[in-house]
Amino acid sequence: MSIDEAVAELERGALVAFPTETVYGLGADASNSEAIQALYAAKGRPADHPVIVHLASIEALDDVAMHVPDWARVLARKFWPGPLTLVVQRRPGSVCDEVTGGRPTVGVRVPAHPIALDLLSKFGRGVAAPSANRFGRVSPTTAEHVRADLGDEVAVVLDGGPCAVGVESTIVDATGSAPQILRLGGISVGEIETVLGRAVAVANSGEIAAPGTLPSHYAPSCRVELATAQEVATRARAASATGASVAVLALASTQLLLPDNVVRLPSPATTDAYGQQLFARLREADALHVDLLLVVPPGPEGVGAAVIDRLRRAATVSK
Ligand code: TXA
Ligand code: MG
C-alpha cells in the first residue's frame, strides 16, 4: 500500500502500522478519540497507559506541548529525528484525552525512518503510536512480526524492513525542573548527559506507571534467564540434562562449548547489532519451542544498557 493510501486510512480513523528506527508502531490519529479507543482495543492495552505522539518535525512540538524547558529543546534539536521521547506538558485541545490516559502530560517524538517521516508529514498532524505488539509481548522489529501479532486488527502494515536500532526510544521526563529518564532506550544516558553537560537521573522503574517500565514486559513465551559467559555452558548442560530444550544467545565474540542438543541462536557481532536483533531473537526462541533461553547480555555501553533492561524484564516473568 502507498503512503497516500495509509494517510487516507489514518484520516478515516483506521489503524496503520509503520516502521520507525526503533520498533514498528501501531498508529492512529492522535486527535480522534474513537481511533485511539480502537488502538487500545487492538493492542489489548489498559486505557490508563499513555501513548507516544509521533510528529513530522521539531517545529510541530509546540502544537501539542506547552512550557517546554530550554534543556528539553536542546535534546530535541540534538536527537530528533531519532530514538528520544520527551514527556512534556500537554497543550489542551491538541491531542485527545485517550492518548494520554487523562494525564496533563504527553510523550512526543520525531522518528528517524523515511517511511514514518513521509507518513507523518503527509498526514500533517500527530500520530499516536505504541509499539505494534500485543500488550506485554515482545515489540516488533519487522513487518512480519506485526502481521504475526496483529494481522487481523490492522488494515495496513507499511513494510520498511528490519528496524535499525531495534529497542524502543529513550523516554525523558521534561515536566519537572530537572530531566529524568523514565525508560532506557536507543539514546544512551551518557549521550544525554554529554549534551546537557550534567548528570541525569534514571527513574526507579517501579515508581512509574508506564507499561514499558513494568517488570514483566517484553516477554517471550519461553523462560528467559541471564547468565555470565563463564557459567552459561554449565547451566545449559545442567538444564538440558533435566530434559529441557535450551537455547543460548550471546555476542559472537563469546566462545562457548555447548552440548549438541543446545541451540546457539545467531550471534550479534556488536552491542549495536545485539540491540538491533534482540527482539527477533526472542521471537526465534519461541518459534523453536525451547523451554529455556539462556542469555549472556552485552556490556552496558551505548545501547547495551537498554538491551540489559529489556532482558531483565523478559527474565522477570514467572513461568
Ligand atoms: O520507540 C518507541 O518509543 C516506540 C516507537 C513506535 O515510537 N513506541 C513505544 O511505545 O515504545 P509504547 O507505547 O510501547 O511505549 C510508550 C511508553 C510507555 O511506557 C508509556 O507509558 C510512556 O511511553 N509514556 C507515554 N506517554 C507518557 C506520559 N505522558 N507520561 C509518562 N510516560 C508516558
Ligand atoms: Mg511497547
Side-chain angles (χ1 to χ4, degrees):
M1 175 169 294
S2 71
I3 297 281
D4 289 340
E5 288 167 307
V7 169
E9 293 292 325
L10 287 175
E11 277 164 357
R12 71 173 187 87
L15 307 180
V16 171
F18 62 95
T20 81
E21 79 284 25
T22 59
V23 302
Y24 275 70
L26 180 61
D29 179 352
S31 62
N32 180 336
S33 296
E34 282 172 20
I36 302 302
Q37 283 166 25
L39 179 69
Y40 278 82
K43 256 194 83 98
R45 180 172 175 134
D48 60 347
H49 283 143
V51 186
I52 296 170
V53 175
H54 296 69
L55 303 172
S57 72
I58 191 170
E59 282 71 39
L61 174 61
D62 295 303
D63 296 346
V64 295
M66 301 188 304
H67 310 310
V68 178
D70 287 342
W71 57 261
R73 290 186 195 277
V74 169
L75 291 179
R77 274 197 296 274
K78 172 74 183 175
F79 295 115
W80 284 353
L84 172 77
T85 293
L86 292 172
V87 174
V88 289
Q89 298 293 336
R90 163 187 171 202
R91 183 174 291 282
S94 56
V95 298
C96 62
D97 286 346
E98 286 81 358
V99 167
T100 69
R103 286 170 178 71
T105 60
V106 61
V108 285
R109 92 176 185 99
V110 178
H113 191 292
I115 292 178
L117 289 172
D118 199 12
L119 179 74
L120 291 165
S121 64
K122 287 190 171 132
F123 184 59
R125 296 196 300 282
V127 171
S131 50
N133 53 285
R134 284 196 189 279
F135 184 67
R137 309 305 302 184
V138 177
S139 295
T141 52
T142 66
E144 267 314 301
H145 296 165
V146 179
R147 286 192 204 99
D149 272 18
L150 297 171
D152 297 338
E153 326 276 342
V154 195
V156 183
V157 182
L158 294 173
D159 191 343
C163 300
V165 176
V167 294
E168 299 85 348
S169 60
T170 302
I171 303 180
V172 177
D173 184 350
T175 61
S177 53
Q180 199 186 25
I181 292 176
L182 301 181
R183 180 178 72 184
L184 299 172
I187 307 270
S188 71
V189 178
E191 286 174 277
I192 290 170
E193 291 182 331
T194 301
V195 170
L196 296 181
R198 61 168 159 181
V200 176
V202 179
N204 174 345
S205 61
E207 292 167 10
I208 304 294
T213 63
L214 290 175
S216 67
H217 219 62
Y218 310 107
S221 304
C222 64
R223 198 163 86 243
V224 177
E225 289 178 11
L226 302 192
T228 64
Q230 291 71 35
E231 70 189 5
V232 67
T234 312
R235 282 174 58 182
R237 199 165 291 119
S240 81
T242 67
S245 63
V246 182
V248 168
L249 174 62
L251 280 168
S253 56
T254 309
Q255 289 185 14
L256 297 173
L257 264 175
L258 296 171
D260 285 347
N261 57 352
V262 171
V263 180
R264 182 159 181 179
L265 297 179
S267 307
T270 62
T271 300
D272 281 352
Y274 209 129
Q276 203 260 327
Q277 297 171 23
L278 175 67
F279 292 146
R281 296 285 99 86
L282 295 182
R283 283 172 185 263
E284 209 170 308
D286 271 351
L288 291 169
H289 299 292
V290 300
D291 301 308
L292 172 65
L293 174 63
L294 282 166
V295 185
V296 183
E301 58 286 342
V303 79
V307 172
I308 294 167
D309 171 79
R310 303 304 188 269
L311 284 170
R312 286 201 180 127
R313 292 176 203 284
T316 304
V317 193
S318 53
K319 293 197 176 94

